[in-house]
Amino acid sequence: MKLNKKLLATGVLAASVFAGQAYGAVSAEEAAKLGNSLTPIGAEKAGNGGDIPAWDGGLSTPPAGYKGDGRYVDPFEGEEPKFVIDQSNVDQYADKLSTGQVAMIKRYDDYVMPVYETHRSAAYPEQVMEDTVDNATTVELIKDGNGLGNYQTATPFPIPQNGLEVIWNHITRYRGGSVQRNVGQVTPTEDGSFSVVKFQDELTWKTYLDDYEPGMDPNVLFYFKQAITAPARLAGNVLLVHETIDQVEEPRRAWVYNAGQRRVRRAPQVAYDGPGTASDGMRTSDNFDMFNGAPDRYNWELVGKKEMYIPYNSYKLHSDSLKVADIVTPMHINQEHTRYELHRVWVVEATLKEGKRHIYAKRRFYVDEDSWGVLVVDQYDNRGRLWRVSEGHSINYYDILSFWTTLEVHIDLLSGRYLAHGLDNENDMYDFSFRSESGDYTPAALRRHGRR
């Protein structure tokens, strides 16, 4: 893999150096690059002199045809692939692919990657960009990298100095502040048979609560509630999470309401490699949103930066012109509906610490420089075998200026199966006008929600 070492001038530090120290804030001179040679959230503003253009603010206004109903029309509809990567030419492009992407193409005869023109469409609200610039000189990693000092909102480390800071940028990235969404999840068998598990999710950043006051619940980042609405055998089960920032000092607060028992219980298994909800063992809890939760079980290395073909502007997979059955096929999703573009990514490798437990011994993350979203992950088992490959197919939710996944796909190369989460083609769309109060995220409220 060819890496741009020059871009690591700010330094590469292993997670082990954090004991008893604080890292993160950069000098005012370094921070002055934001909005100049760097975008306000820390990406290189310039293009590469070839297929990657300069960033010009991203897609900051809805395109013609958008009705404001949350059904995001494709601003690039009508574009044709520049070329398609398949088994006949994968070696030609391998330096711009992950090991897992190459393995997928070589394993499955019908696995293709259509590559389109690059559009740097990621955009942010002005306030988020202003807060990010302010964070550059104030926010620090504390408590061995498990906590954030002086942090309130936006991207904490726009000029990252190590792998942990890049991962924290992913964890904290702007996702609209408050949203309710209805999505489906499938875990097809090898022959492609599947049933859809339907979820109604609520995600509310602490500072977006209607009753938020400064100093409220200081170690909480956001609140998350997930109710299963189908099939009938699972409907009514609800998960509630208070996502703490330092999960070593205070583990994630999680509860589940079991509709059959009509009881609320604490759920400490909703973390690390605990099984994902209704996932048939096909993803871990920390696979959700590509990665979430405490980073303390891994050593994090910032390997470098590279140009890579990653899923981007995936409006086809979001479109209501498709049915779920058009996307879900045996072994992997229907790649004809995917879109890949050449972008610059940060490469971060996580290696399991000695004495720590996780089913993934090593994970390599590819993080989009324009959105701080993890869009590709290669995951290895404890025997060193490439096990699972994850891709986050993302779009710009251009009415609220958030670049975020519309579909997450986790493919198991050893079993020949996969999980797809986020299928929204036949559902009501994301509601970013959703509002809630702190009282909506208590165990008592969880019980009431499950009984509705």
Side-chain angles (χ1 to χ4, degrees):
M1 181 177 64
K2 297 180 180 178
L3 299 173
N4 190 338
K5 297 296 184 182
K6 183 174 69 173
L7 296 172
L8 296 182
T10 52
V12 176
L13 302 175
S16 59
V17 305
F18 286 105
Q21 304 181 56
Y23 288 89
V26 300
S27 68
E29 182 180 10
E30 278 290 300
K33 296 177 182 178
L34 298 168
N36 292 297
S37 60
L38 301 178
T39 72
I41 64 124
E44 294 175 69
K45 185 178 286 187
N48 68 348
D51 291 335
I52 299 177
W55 185 79
D56 61 1
L59 182 61
S60 56
T61 56
Y66 179 60
K67 299 177 181 178
D69 58 358
R71 180 60 67 184
Y72 295 88
V73 299
D74 187 351
F76 312 116
E77 187 176 7
E79 290 188 355
E80 296 293 332
K82 298 170 63 177
F83 56 90
V84 176
I85 304 175
D86 59 20
Q87 288 185 350
S88 70
N89 61 5
V90 63
D91 292 336
Q92 176 184 344
Y93 298 105
D95 65 328
K96 289 182 170 60
L97 301 171
S98 80
T99 301
Q101 289 175 316
V102 172
M104 302 260 288
I105 292 172
K106 291 190 172 183
R107 171 163 182 169
Y108 301 118
D109 293 342
D110 60 344
Y111 194 92
V112 297
M113 293 176 57
V115 177
Y116 289 78
E117 178 182 351
T118 296
H119 297 282
R120 296 180 68 178
S121 57
Y124 285 86
E126 286 294 332
Q127 190 62 57
V128 172
M129 292 190 289
E130 290 175 11
D131 291 342
T132 295
V133 172
D134 290 342
N135 287 343
T137 56
T138 58
V139 179
E140 297 178 326
L141 282 178
I142 60 175
K143 300 180 180 178
D144 298 335
N146 296 311
L148 302 178
N150 306 315
Y151 177 76
Q152 289 295 321
T153 186
T155 300
F157 306 111
I159 305 178
Q161 301 175 74
N162 52 72
L164 260 176
E165 291 180 1
V166 173
I167 291 301
W168 273 113
N169 286 347
H170 164 78
I171 291 170
T172 59
R173 72 198 189 285
Y174 177 71
R175 278 162 276 177
S178 183
V179 61
Q180 185 179 79
R181 64 179 188 173
N182 295 280
V183 296
Q185 175 176 285
V186 296
T187 54
T189 58
E190 287 188 68
D191 65 3
S193 301
F194 68 92
S195 59
V196 181
V197 178
K198 296 182 179 181
F199 299 95
Q200 183 182 79
D201 293 350
E202 296 176 14
L203 172 67
T204 300
W205 228 252
K206 179 180 65 177
T207 54
Y208 282 78
L209 291 170
D210 283 348
D211 59 343
Y212 171 74
E213 295 181 1
M216 174 189 287
D217 227 349
N219 195 34
V220 167
L221 194 62
F222 59 76
Y223 303 93
F224 177 73
K225 189 187 295 182
Q226 183 181 70
I228 301 178
T229 59
R233 61 184 174 83
L234 298 175
N237 293 341
V238 190
L239 167 68
L240 172 64
V241 171
H242 295 182
E243 186 72 350
T244 52
I245 297 175
D246 184 346
Q247 296 189 11
V248 175
E249 178 177 299
E250 181 186 15
R252 168 184 284 163
R253 308 173 200 156
W255 299 263
V256 292
Y257 173 76
N258 185 293
Q261 299 175 351
R262 296 190 177 183
R263 294 187 63 183
V264 174
R265 295 178 180 272
R266 290 300 294 259
Q269 76 278 8
V270 181
Y272 300 110
D273 57 357
T277 304
S279 67
D280 202 16
M282 292 300 297
R283 71 164 176 84
T284 59
S285 289
D286 64 7
N287 274 145
F288 187 74
D289 193 38
M290 305 299 283
F291 179 80
N292 72 86
D296 64 301
R297 294 192 180 181
Y298 289 94
N299 291 314
W300 300 86
E301 178 189 0
L302 183 55
V303 178
K305 210 173 189 184
K306 67 174 290 188
E307 295 177 3
M308 182 174 170
Y309 296 116
I310 54 177
Y312 224 87
N313 293 312
S314 304
Y315 291 93
K316 289 183 181 179
L317 287 174
H318 164 85
S319 173
D320 61 354
S321 66
L322 294 179
K323 302 294 184 184
V324 170
D326 296 324
I327 297 172
V328 180
T329 53
M331 308 295 184
H332 54 77
I333 65 168
N334 187 341
Q335 288 290 115
E336 292 180 4
H337 302 306
T338 61
R339 178 184 177 115
Y340 294 82
E341 298 178 1
L342 185 67
H343 288 262
R344 287 182 291 243
V345 298
W346 292 98
V347 184
V348 178
E349 189 163 284
T351 305
L352 193 62
K353 292 179 179 178
E354 185 176 352
K356 296 291 186 179
R357 180 191 174 280
H358 200 289
I359 63 171
Y360 301 135
K362 185 175 76 172
R363 307 160 92 162
R364 182 165 280 208
F365 297 88
Y366 299 89
V367 187
D368 172 37
E369 69 165 348
D370 283 330
S371 68
W372 293 112
V374 172
L375 298 188
V376 178
V377 192
D378 292 341
Q379 290 148 136
Y380 296 79
D381 67 14
N382 287 286
R383 297 171 61 184
R385 296 177 300 179
L386 178 63
W387 183 4
R388 290 173 176 166
V389 182
S390 301
E391 291 191 325
H393 299 269
S394 301
I395 65 174
N396 179 355
Y397 296 87
Y398 36 67
D399 53 351
I400 54 104
L401 302 184
S402 174
F403 194 85
W404 189 19
T405 50
T406 184
L407 184 67
E408 298 174 26
V409 181
H410 307 278
I411 300 181
D412 190 317
L413 289 168
L414 301 183
S415 72
R417 297 183 61 198
Y418 69 97
L419 177 147
H421 179 89
L423 295 158
D424 56 12
N425 314 76
E426 301 176 47
N427 297 333
D428 294 334
M429 281 316 303
Y430 290 32
D431 178 9
F432 289 100
S433 66
F434 171 77
R435 291 294 177 266
S436 58
E437 298 182 350
S438 56
D440 297 321
Y441 299 110
T442 65
L446 179 64
R447 185 178 292 107
R448 292 194 299 270
H449 189 119
R451 289 177 176 174
R452 286 205 297 252

